[in-house]
Amino acid sequence: MDVDPGLVLPKPSLPMRLALLVAGTTLPLIIFAGGIVFHNYVQDRKDATQRVLETVRSIRLVLDAEMQRMTGGLQVLALTNSLRDGDFNSFRRIAAGFLDQYGKNGVVLVADRDGRQVISSVAPDAAALPLRNNRDIVEKVFATKRPHYSNLFVGVVKKNLIVTVEVPVMRDGEVLYDISFSPPIEIFQTMIEKQLPGKEWTISIFDAEGINFARVPNPQSTIGQRASPSLFAEMFSKPEATFATVSLEGVPLITSVARSSLTGWTVAAGIAENSMVAPLWRSLAITSVIGGILLLVGLAFAVRMATAIARGEMLHDLLIDELNHRVKNTLAILQSIATQTFRSASRAEREKFEGRLGALAEAHNLLSQEKWQGSELQDVIGRVLKPYLLNNPERMRMFGPKVPLSPRLAVVLSMIVHEMATNAAKYGALSNDSGTVTLDWEVLEESGGRKLRMIWTEAGGPHVSAPVQRGFGSRLIERSARDQLGGEATVDFLPRGVVYTVTQAGISQGLRTA
């Protein structure tokens, strides 16, 4: 299929090729470094998620331990005989020892089934105190005979937000009173502040209805508020869970929750997404800047190298052109000398010499086109045999692989092939209208190395008989193969046609790297 020359892309310049080489090696390294940074981010995110879950578990355990301690203290108070026997003044002194552990803001009170306060640590005269305003939890204590833990509510006496621990006072298997303790709300705030891992964290304790009663940050403005919508929608689905939320301040968080089986309260802890994404972007920015600097340095080096190579190529081309000019002048001088020398010689002798000189010139022209980098064996043979292929190309067949030749080997083989073709045109298969020539070659792998073997086979020409005396052409072929190729050349004068076999040993020394 023919290709439109207009569709063939132009060959990129040397600076462009070097720049593409630098970019092709540097950009994958930059991408690889970016991949490592992103992988580290994913791993850091995974580790942070695990750390959030471990933090919320730790706070829940501390909370449960503290609530069990409070419950145990109330249960001891519930067993005192003074309370069971109605000696409330004695009980008040015992309760004061319990309250000393929690400071002045803790309150202990005792209520009957109807919610009437019979003892209160904040008022000596309980008769003047109003009924308890969280009657539901009092009824649960009397109904279940078990401790209970309230949600956040406003205390009836001090009008503060409180939570309570409710324990039944038993006598003869029945609930006599409900003893209640409302610890200072600051206890829970101190608890989470001690567990806070860093300023980018948000930690809260919620009651069974999702109302906040301890929180960092901003406890003053958030205690008493319900959890943010994204957290509230997920916090009751499982006893433990990790998910993405948005805080009351509008900060995206990776949040874990853990619900206490003892109190029904929920601990939530979250770390800001930005605390993990920011280092990612910072690392990517640093990687990009360093990679960009390396790329620019590489491109600058490539341009400088391209300039130096271009100057070298210009000098090389100039030297090649000068060499071609001098060789052509030398060949012209040789042709002039030959014309003067062979003036008295026969026409046949003059044509022989001029033919050999022409073969040498054709080999030189081919090498000049390749800038003396060498050439392909088939191109060398084609140049030499071109005059015989013009009128009847089917008479000559060539077979063989691509074999790159060094300049020296190209010149030697062109002279050998020329002598074969000249002899065939004068005496052999190319001297009539029906003869044919087959030229094939191969590269043999032998123990001593690779070897090139070329076989010239004639057929259909005049009957062949061995000559009595070898001519200059035959001697040229044999000596060139022996002295220039390091191999040998043999000729077999078979009746059906001449067969030349030329071999070259040590092919790695004579062949150009493909």
mmCIF file of all heavy atoms in Angstrom, residues 296-336:
data_model
loop_
_atom_site.group_PDB
_atom_site.id
_atom_site.type_symbol
_atom_site.label_atom_id
_atom_site.label_comp_id
_atom_site.label_asym_id
_atom_site.label_seq_id
_atom_site.Cartn_x
_atom_site.Cartn_y
_atom_site.Cartn_z
ATOM 1 N N LEU A 296 13.273 20.545 34.636
ATOM 2 C CA LEU A 296 13.850 21.720 33.981
ATOM 3 C C LEU A 296 15.367 21.588 33.853
ATOM 4 O O LEU A 296 15.938 21.938 32.813
ATOM 5 C CB LEU A 296 13.497 22.985 34.771
ATOM 6 C CG LEU A 296 12.014 23.397 34.740
ATOM 7 C CD1 LEU A 296 11.773 24.601 35.638
ATOM 8 C CD2 LEU A 296 11.573 23.701 33.311
ATOM 9 N N VAL A 297 16.005 21.084 34.925
ATOM 10 C CA VAL A 297 17.454 20.875 34.849
ATOM 11 C C VAL A 297 17.783 19.860 33.766
ATOM 12 O O VAL A 297 18.715 20.048 32.965
ATOM 13 C CB VAL A 297 17.991 20.406 36.221
ATOM 14 C CG1 VAL A 297 19.454 19.978 36.108
ATOM 15 C CG2 VAL A 297 17.870 21.529 37.242
ATOM 16 N N GLY A 298 17.001 18.781 33.710
ATOM 17 C CA GLY A 298 17.231 17.772 32.679
ATOM 18 C C GLY A 298 17.016 18.318 31.289
ATOM 19 O O GLY A 298 17.787 18.028 30.362
ATOM 20 N N LEU A 299 15.965 19.135 31.115
ATOM 21 C CA LEU A 299 15.710 19.719 29.794
ATOM 22 C C LEU A 299 16.824 20.684 29.403
ATOM 23 O O LEU A 299 17.241 20.714 28.237
ATOM 24 C CB LEU A 299 14.358 20.438 29.803
ATOM 25 C CG LEU A 299 13.111 19.542 29.901
ATOM 26 C CD1 LEU A 299 11.859 20.384 30.005
ATOM 27 C CD2 LEU A 299 13.031 18.613 28.696
ATOM 28 N N ALA A 300 17.292 21.471 30.378
ATOM 29 C CA ALA A 300 18.393 22.388 30.072
ATOM 30 C C ALA A 300 19.643 21.607 29.672
ATOM 31 O O ALA A 300 20.341 21.965 28.716
ATOM 32 C CB ALA A 300 18.676 23.278 31.283
ATOM 33 N N PHE A 301 19.918 20.537 30.404
ATOM 34 C CA PHE A 301 21.061 19.691 30.059
ATOM 35 C C PHE A 301 20.875 19.055 28.680
ATOM 36 O O PHE A 301 21.825 18.967 27.896
ATOM 37 C CB PHE A 301 21.230 18.606 31.126
ATOM 38 C CG PHE A 301 22.374 17.673 30.864
ATOM 39 C CD1 PHE A 301 23.687 18.069 31.074
ATOM 40 C CD2 PHE A 301 22.135 16.386 30.406
ATOM 41 C CE1 PHE A 301 24.742 17.203 30.829
ATOM 42 C CE2 PHE A 301 23.179 15.510 30.163
ATOM 43 C CZ PHE A 301 24.486 15.920 30.372
ATOM 44 N N ALA A 302 19.644 18.626 28.380
ATOM 45 C CA ALA A 302 19.368 18.010 27.084
ATOM 46 C C ALA A 302 19.583 19.004 25.946
ATOM 47 O O ALA A 302 20.162 18.663 24.903
ATOM 48 C CB ALA A 302 17.938 17.468 27.061
ATOM 49 N N VAL A 303 19.104 20.235 26.153
ATOM 50 C CA VAL A 303 19.287 21.257 25.109
ATOM 51 C C VAL A 303 20.775 21.543 24.897
ATOM 52 O O VAL A 303 21.241 21.675 23.756
ATOM 53 C CB VAL A 303 18.517 22.539 25.493
ATOM 54 C CG1 VAL A 303 18.872 23.678 24.545
ATOM 55 C CG2 VAL A 303 17.019 22.282 25.472
ATOM 56 N N ARG A 304 21.504 21.615 26.021
ATOM 57 C CA ARG A 304 22.942 21.878 25.891
ATOM 58 C C ARG A 304 23.649 20.716 25.186
ATOM 59 O O ARG A 304 24.501 20.931 24.321
ATOM 60 C CB ARG A 304 23.544 22.091 27.276
ATOM 61 C CG ARG A 304 25.010 22.466 27.238
ATOM 62 C CD ARG A 304 25.474 22.988 28.570
ATOM 63 N NE ARG A 304 26.874 23.413 28.522
ATOM 64 C CZ ARG A 304 27.510 23.982 29.519
ATOM 65 N NH1 ARG A 304 26.866 24.214 30.645
ATOM 66 N NH2 ARG A 304 28.778 24.339 29.392
ATOM 67 N N MET A 305 23.300 19.498 25.559
ATOM 68 C CA MET A 305 23.875 18.332 24.899
ATOM 69 C C MET A 305 23.498 18.300 23.431
ATOM 70 O O MET A 305 24.318 17.965 22.566
ATOM 71 C CB MET A 305 23.399 17.051 25.594
ATOM 72 C CG MET A 305 24.036 16.800 26.947
ATOM 73 S SD MET A 305 25.823 16.519 26.808
ATOM 74 C CE MET A 305 25.837 15.006 25.850
ATOM 75 N N ALA A 306 22.230 18.646 23.137
ATOM 76 C CA ALA A 306 21.793 18.647 21.744
ATOM 77 C C ALA A 306 22.593 19.657 20.930
ATOM 78 O O ALA A 306 22.957 19.400 19.771
ATOM 79 C CB ALA A 306 20.297 18.962 21.669
ATOM 80 N N THR A 307 22.862 20.814 21.548
ATOM 81 C CA THR A 307 23.652 21.828 20.841
ATOM 82 C C THR A 307 25.062 21.314 20.554
ATOM 83 O O THR A 307 25.586 21.472 19.448
ATOM 84 C CB THR A 307 23.713 23.108 21.691
ATOM 85 O OG1 THR A 307 22.384 23.570 21.967
ATOM 86 C CG2 THR A 307 24.473 24.194 20.952
ATOM 87 N N ALA A 308 25.658 20.671 21.584
ATOM 88 C CA ALA A 308 27.013 20.131 21.387
ATOM 89 C C ALA A 308 27.021 19.022 20.343
ATOM 90 O O ALA A 308 27.906 18.958 19.480
ATOM 91 C CB ALA A 308 27.551 19.604 22.719
ATOM 92 N N ILE A 309 26.003 18.146 20.402
ATOM 93 C CA ILE A 309 25.935 17.051 19.420
ATOM 94 C C ILE A 309 25.691 17.605 18.032
ATOM 95 O O ILE A 309 26.257 17.117 17.038
ATOM 96 C CB ILE A 309 24.829 16.055 19.828
ATOM 97 C CG1 ILE A 309 25.229 15.344 21.119
ATOM 98 C CG2 ILE A 309 24.582 15.031 18.734
ATOM 99 C CD1 ILE A 309 24.140 14.468 21.696
ATOM 100 N N ALA A 310 24.824 18.627 17.945
ATOM 101 C CA ALA A 310 24.549 19.218 16.632
ATOM 102 C C ALA A 310 25.820 19.823 16.031
ATOM 103 O O ALA A 310 26.078 19.688 14.825
ATOM 104 C CB ALA A 310 23.463 20.284 16.762
ATOM 105 N N ARG A 311 26.611 20.477 16.895
ATOM 106 C CA ARG A 311 27.878 21.016 16.390
ATOM 107 C C ARG A 311 28.793 19.891 15.935
ATOM 108 O O ARG A 311 29.466 19.999 14.894
ATOM 109 C CB ARG A 311 28.552 21.836 17.484
ATOM 110 C CG ARG A 311 27.843 23.151 17.794
ATOM 111 C CD ARG A 311 28.508 23.841 18.955
ATOM 112 N NE ARG A 311 27.825 25.098 19.292
ATOM 113 C CZ ARG A 311 28.099 25.824 20.356
ATOM 114 N NH1 ARG A 311 29.049 25.422 21.208
ATOM 115 N NH2 ARG A 311 27.435 26.950 20.603
ATOM 116 N N GLY A 312 28.824 18.789 16.716
ATOM 117 C CA GLY A 312 29.639 17.650 16.314
ATOM 118 C C GLY A 312 29.166 17.048 15.010
ATOM 119 O O GLY A 312 29.976 16.663 14.147
ATOM 120 N N GLU A 313 27.826 16.967 14.843
ATOM 121 C CA GLU A 313 27.301 16.421 13.600
ATOM 122 C C GLU A 313 27.628 17.331 12.424
ATOM 123 O O GLU A 313 27.925 16.853 11.316
ATOM 124 C CB GLU A 313 25.793 16.221 13.719
ATOM 125 C CG GLU A 313 25.399 15.039 14.596
ATOM 126 C CD GLU A 313 23.904 14.799 14.574
ATOM 127 O OE1 GLU A 313 23.165 15.701 14.107
ATOM 128 O OE2 GLU A 313 23.474 13.719 15.024
ATOM 129 N N MET A 314 27.537 18.636 12.678
ATOM 130 C CA MET A 314 27.894 19.566 11.591
ATOM 131 C C MET A 314 29.353 19.376 11.182
ATOM 132 O O MET A 314 29.676 19.346 9.987
ATOM 133 C CB MET A 314 27.648 21.010 12.046
ATOM 134 C CG MET A 314 26.177 21.380 12.199
ATOM 135 S SD MET A 314 25.947 23.040 12.848
ATOM 136 C CE MET A 314 26.781 24.002 11.598
ATOM 137 N N LEU A 315 30.237 19.229 12.211
ATOM 138 C CA LEU A 315 31.645 19.010 11.902
ATOM 139 C C LEU A 315 31.835 17.669 11.205
ATOM 140 O O LEU A 315 32.606 17.558 10.238
ATOM 141 C CB LEU A 315 32.456 19.059 13.195
ATOM 142 C CG LEU A 315 33.968 18.834 13.056
ATOM 143 C CD1 LEU A 315 34.576 19.887 12.131
ATOM 144 C CD2 LEU A 315 34.643 18.859 14.415
ATOM 145 N N HIS A 316 31.087 16.650 11.678
ATOM 146 C CA HIS A 316 31.176 15.328 11.048
ATOM 147 C C HIS A 316 30.731 15.392 9.599
ATOM 148 O O HIS A 316 31.387 14.845 8.694
ATOM 149 C CB HIS A 316 30.314 14.343 11.843
ATOM 150 C CG HIS A 316 30.281 12.961 11.272
ATOM 151 N ND1 HIS A 316 29.265 12.539 10.433
ATOM 152 C CD2 HIS A 316 31.124 11.911 11.400
ATOM 153 C CE1 HIS A 316 29.489 11.290 10.079
ATOM 154 N NE2 HIS A 316 30.605 10.880 10.650
ATOM 155 N N ASP A 317 29.595 16.054 9.356
ATOM 156 C CA ASP A 317 29.101 16.179 7.974
ATOM 157 C C ASP A 317 30.085 16.941 7.106
ATOM 158 O O ASP A 317 30.287 16.607 5.931
ATOM 159 C CB ASP A 317 27.740 16.887 7.970
ATOM 160 C CG ASP A 317 26.656 16.029 8.613
ATOM 161 O OD1 ASP A 317 26.881 14.814 8.739
ATOM 162 O OD2 ASP A 317 25.594 16.583 8.967
ATOM 163 N N LEU A 318 30.699 17.988 7.708
ATOM 164 C CA LEU A 318 31.674 18.765 6.946
ATOM 165 C C LEU A 318 32.868 17.885 6.562
ATOM 166 O O LEU A 318 33.346 17.925 5.415
ATOM 167 C CB LEU A 318 32.132 19.967 7.785
ATOM 168 C CG LEU A 318 33.186 20.876 7.139
ATOM 169 C CD1 LEU A 318 32.626 21.507 5.856
ATOM 170 C CD2 LEU A 318 33.628 21.957 8.114
ATOM 171 N N LEU A 319 33.337 17.067 7.529
ATOM 172 C CA LEU A 319 34.467 16.183 7.234
ATOM 173 C C LEU A 319 34.091 15.131 6.196
ATOM 174 O O LEU A 319 34.881 14.793 5.309
ATOM 175 C CB LEU A 319 34.950 15.517 8.520
ATOM 176 C CG LEU A 319 35.572 16.449 9.572
ATOM 177 C CD1 LEU A 319 35.893 15.676 10.842
ATOM 178 C CD2 LEU A 319 36.825 17.127 9.016
ATOM 179 N N ILE A 320 32.853 14.590 6.308
ATOM 180 C CA ILE A 320 32.398 13.596 5.322
ATOM 181 C C ILE A 320 32.328 14.222 3.938
ATOM 182 O O ILE A 320 32.758 13.623 2.935
ATOM 183 C CB ILE A 320 31.021 13.037 5.734
ATOM 184 C CG1 ILE A 320 31.152 12.153 6.981
ATOM 185 C CG2 ILE A 320 30.394 12.237 4.598
ATOM 186 C CD1 ILE A 320 31.949 10.896 6.748
ATOM 187 N N ASP A 321 31.785 15.437 3.859
ATOM 188 C CA ASP A 321 31.709 16.116 2.560
ATOM 189 C C ASP A 321 33.107 16.360 1.997
ATOM 190 O O ASP A 321 33.349 16.204 0.792
ATOM 191 C CB ASP A 321 30.966 17.446 2.710
ATOM 192 C CG ASP A 321 29.489 17.236 2.999
ATOM 193 O OD1 ASP A 321 28.990 16.121 2.729
ATOM 194 O OD2 ASP A 321 28.840 18.171 3.511
ATOM 195 N N GLU A 322 34.028 16.774 2.886
ATOM 196 C CA GLU A 322 35.402 16.986 2.427
ATOM 197 C C GLU A 322 36.019 15.676 1.967
ATOM 198 O O GLU A 322 36.725 15.632 0.934
ATOM 199 C CB GLU A 322 36.216 17.601 3.572
ATOM 200 C CG GLU A 322 37.683 17.884 3.236
ATOM 201 C CD GLU A 322 37.846 18.926 2.142
ATOM 202 O OE1 GLU A 322 36.893 19.711 1.933
ATOM 203 O OE2 GLU A 322 38.905 18.955 1.506
ATOM 204 N N LEU A 323 35.761 14.592 2.701
ATOM 205 C CA LEU A 323 36.274 13.278 2.301
ATOM 206 C C LEU A 323 35.693 12.859 0.956
ATOM 207 O O LEU A 323 36.432 12.371 0.076
ATOM 208 C CB LEU A 323 35.915 12.240 3.372
ATOM 209 C CG LEU A 323 36.283 10.788 3.058
ATOM 210 C CD1 LEU A 323 37.784 10.624 2.895
ATOM 211 C CD2 LEU A 323 35.757 9.865 4.156
ATOM 212 N N ASN A 324 34.379 13.042 0.794
ATOM 213 C CA ASN A 324 33.751 12.683 -0.492
ATOM 214 C C ASN A 324 34.362 13.478 -1.640
ATOM 215 O O ASN A 324 34.629 12.941 -2.725
ATOM 216 C CB ASN A 324 32.245 12.939 -0.428
ATOM 217 C CG ASN A 324 31.542 11.988 0.525
ATOM 218 O OD1 ASN A 324 32.057 10.902 0.785
ATOM 219 N ND2 ASN A 324 30.393 12.390 1.029
ATOM 220 N N HIS A 325 34.585 14.755 -1.376
ATOM 221 C CA HIS A 325 35.161 15.604 -2.413
ATOM 222 C C HIS A 325 36.559 15.111 -2.805
ATOM 223 O O HIS A 325 36.893 14.989 -3.990
ATOM 224 C CB HIS A 325 35.205 17.046 -1.907
ATOM 225 C CG HIS A 325 35.843 18.008 -2.866
ATOM 226 N ND1 HIS A 325 35.259 18.368 -4.066
ATOM 227 C CD2 HIS A 325 37.043 18.664 -2.803
ATOM 228 C CE1 HIS A 325 36.067 19.214 -4.694
ATOM 229 N NE2 HIS A 325 37.142 19.410 -3.955
ATOM 230 N N ARG A 326 37.358 14.787 -1.772
ATOM 231 C CA ARG A 326 38.722 14.340 -2.043
ATOM 232 C C ARG A 326 38.727 12.976 -2.739
ATOM 233 O O ARG A 326 39.523 12.721 -3.646
ATOM 234 C CB ARG A 326 39.523 14.267 -0.746
ATOM 235 C CG ARG A 326 39.812 15.640 -0.143
ATOM 236 C CD ARG A 326 40.534 15.521 1.184
ATOM 237 N NE ARG A 326 40.774 16.837 1.783
ATOM 238 C CZ ARG A 326 41.877 17.560 1.578
ATOM 239 N NH1 ARG A 326 42.823 17.091 0.781
ATOM 240 N NH2 ARG A 326 42.022 18.734 2.155
ATOM 241 N N VAL A 327 37.834 12.068 -2.314
ATOM 242 C CA VAL A 327 37.789 10.747 -2.955
ATOM 243 C C VAL A 327 37.351 10.873 -4.408
ATOM 244 O O VAL A 327 37.913 10.218 -5.307
ATOM 245 C CB VAL A 327 36.849 9.816 -2.167
ATOM 246 C CG1 VAL A 327 36.596 8.513 -2.934
ATOM 247 C CG2 VAL A 327 37.445 9.496 -0.800
ATOM 248 N N LYS A 328 36.351 11.714 -4.660
ATOM 249 C CA LYS A 328 35.911 11.900 -6.046
ATOM 250 C C LYS A 328 37.028 12.497 -6.899
ATOM 251 O O LYS A 328 37.219 12.110 -8.059
ATOM 252 C CB LYS A 328 34.669 12.794 -6.081
ATOM 253 C CG LYS A 328 33.412 12.106 -5.558
ATOM 254 C CD LYS A 328 32.210 13.029 -5.608
ATOM 255 C CE LYS A 328 30.966 12.316 -5.088
ATOM 256 N NZ LYS A 328 29.776 13.187 -5.100
ATOM 257 N N ASN A 329 37.764 13.453 -6.296
ATOM 258 C CA ASN A 329 38.903 14.006 -7.043
ATOM 259 C C ASN A 329 39.945 12.934 -7.322
ATOM 260 O O ASN A 329 40.521 12.858 -8.430
ATOM 261 C CB ASN A 329 39.539 15.154 -6.250
ATOM 262 C CG ASN A 329 38.670 16.399 -6.258
ATOM 263 O OD1 ASN A 329 37.757 16.524 -7.082
ATOM 264 N ND2 ASN A 329 38.944 17.320 -5.345
ATOM 265 N N THR A 330 40.159 12.060 -6.280
ATOM 266 C CA THR A 330 41.135 10.979 -6.467
ATOM 267 C C THR A 330 40.684 10.017 -7.555
ATOM 268 O O THR A 330 41.481 9.601 -8.410
ATOM 269 C CB THR A 330 41.341 10.228 -5.148
ATOM 270 O OG1 THR A 330 41.788 11.163 -4.145
ATOM 271 C CG2 THR A 330 42.368 9.119 -5.307
ATOM 272 N N LEU A 331 39.415 9.663 -7.551
ATOM 273 C CA LEU A 331 38.889 8.760 -8.579
ATOM 274 C C LEU A 331 38.969 9.404 -9.967
ATOM 275 O O LEU A 331 39.262 8.730 -10.969
ATOM 276 C CB LEU A 331 37.441 8.377 -8.257
ATOM 277 C CG LEU A 331 37.254 7.471 -7.031
ATOM 278 C CD1 LEU A 331 35.761 7.251 -6.764
ATOM 279 C CD2 LEU A 331 37.946 6.138 -7.235
ATOM 280 N N ALA A 332 38.702 10.710 -10.021
ATOM 281 C CA ALA A 332 38.797 11.401 -11.307
ATOM 282 C C ALA A 332 40.247 11.392 -11.809
ATOM 283 O O ALA A 332 40.507 11.198 -13.006
ATOM 284 C CB ALA A 332 38.285 12.834 -11.168
ATOM 285 N N ILE A 333 41.205 11.599 -10.873
ATOM 286 C CA ILE A 333 42.630 11.568 -11.258
ATOM 287 C C ILE A 333 43.009 10.169 -11.732
ATOM 288 O O ILE A 333 43.696 10.002 -12.744
ATOM 289 C CB ILE A 333 43.499 12.009 -10.067
ATOM 290 C CG1 ILE A 333 43.256 13.500 -9.764
ATOM 291 C CG2 ILE A 333 44.973 11.765 -10.367
ATOM 292 C CD1 ILE A 333 43.930 13.964 -8.483
ATOM 293 N N LEU A 334 42.500 9.147 -10.986
ATOM 294 C CA LEU A 334 42.791 7.768 -11.395
ATOM 295 C C LEU A 334 42.222 7.471 -12.783
ATOM 296 O O LEU A 334 42.849 6.820 -13.609
ATOM 297 C CB LEU A 334 42.210 6.790 -10.377
ATOM 298 C CG LEU A 334 42.953 6.663 -9.048
ATOM 299 C CD1 LEU A 334 42.194 5.747 -8.099
ATOM 300 C CD2 LEU A 334 44.362 6.136 -9.268
ATOM 301 N N GLN A 335 41.016 7.958 -13.013
ATOM 302 C CA GLN A 335 40.410 7.716 -14.335
ATOM 303 C C GLN A 335 41.199 8.416 -15.437
ATOM 304 O O GLN A 335 41.408 7.871 -16.525
ATOM 305 C CB GLN A 335 38.959 8.203 -14.317
ATOM 306 C CG GLN A 335 38.172 7.810 -15.571
ATOM 307 C CD GLN A 335 36.709 8.167 -15.447
ATOM 308 O OE1 GLN A 335 36.333 8.972 -14.610
ATOM 309 N NE2 GLN A 335 35.886 7.560 -16.282
ATOM 310 N N SER A 336 41.684 9.628 -15.127
ATOM 311 C CA SER A 336 42.484 10.355 -16.120
ATOM 312 C C SER A 336 43.800 9.631 -16.384
ATOM 313 O O SER A 336 44.233 9.465 -17.525
ATOM 314 C CB SER A 336 42.752 11.781 -15.622
ATOM 315 O OG SER A 336 43.601 12.479 -16.524
#
